[in-house]
Amino acid sequence: ATFGGASVSEILGFFQHASGAIATEQVSVVWSFVADIDEGTRAMLEAKASELKATLSQESVMFTIDGEAFFV
């Protein structure tokens, strides 16, 4: 895969806890631009999302590829 850059936006996010409660938090949305994504790149993105989830003590982290959402 060829990485062509990234952008970051700080926003107020809304999410639902596993308990069902609705919460808000400040979040950073990162857009990364990649050409020619393959299964190996997708697996690397999933691993990085999992690492972020643990590092930031999150219930989940979402990433998207071509508009399809993946949660870890």
Side-chain angles (χ1 to χ4, degrees):
T2 303
F3 290 88
S7 299
V8 177
S9 291
E10 302 296 327
I11 63 168
L12 178 63
F14 296 82
F15 65 96
Q16 186 173 18
H17 282 286
S19 69
I22 301 295
T24 62
E25 69 179 350
Q26 288 297 128
V27 296
S28 299
V29 177
V30 179
W31 289 273
S32 179
F33 308 99
V34 181
D36 304 320
I37 193 165
D38 56 23
E39 190 58 34
T41 302
R42 184 198 172 286
M44 181 270 303
L45 291 171
E46 186 171 351
K48 289 296 182 186
S50 186
E51 182 180 317
L52 279 172
K53 176 183 168 182
T55 300
L56 301 175
S57 300
Q58 297 293 299
E59 287 184 10
S60 66
V61 170
M62 182 188 85
F63 66 97
T64 61
I65 299 174
D66 294 332
E68 183 178 355
F70 300 90
F71 290 89
V72 293

